Amino acid sequence: MIRGRRTFTIKGACPRHGEDVNQTLENATFSEARSHTWDCPHEEDGNQSVQVVEILDLKTHKVVWQRPFTAHRIGSVEHRDYKFD
């Protein structure tokens, strides 16, 4: 478990569009980073929230949490299907 406040890069995915959307969250606890949501930039009305799929600790440059997913390849590109709540 990560203690204290840190700067995290949060990789998010829109359940509707499936595209990655990243944000940096400064001076946040791990719990705040894990539960963070924001509006999908692809939605004009803001009705779809981006959900966190991966958290990178910028102090250690390591992934500290990742949402469960199944991966498949299309050609040489890996695609991830995340399991959203």
Side-chain angles (χ1 to χ4, degrees), residues 23-78:
Q23 270 195 355
T24 299
L25 200 58
E26 296 180 6
N27 195 29
T29 63
F30 175 77
S31 179
E32 289 169 342
R34 171 65 187 88
S35 62
H36 187 68
T37 60
W38 62 98
D39 290 339
C40 176
H42 303 101
E43 289 285 317
E44 293 180 14
D45 58 8
N47 284 340
Q48 185 64 44
S49 291
V50 173
Q51 295 186 19
V52 176
V53 295
E54 188 174 273
I55 300 173
L56 174 76
D57 182 353
L58 289 182
K59 183 176 180 180
T60 62
H61 298 283
K62 293 184 180 180
V63 173
V64 293
W65 182 84
Q66 200 169 44
R67 182 179 296 279
F69 65 89
T70 55
H72 60 278
R73 290 198 168 277
I74 299 176
S76 62
V77 179
E78 180 185 88

Side-chain angles (χ1 to χ4, degrees), residues 5-16:
R5 296 192 165 271
R6 304 250 177 116
T7 298
F8 297 100
T9 293
I10 301 172
K11 179 178 176 183
C14 173
R16 185 178 299 165

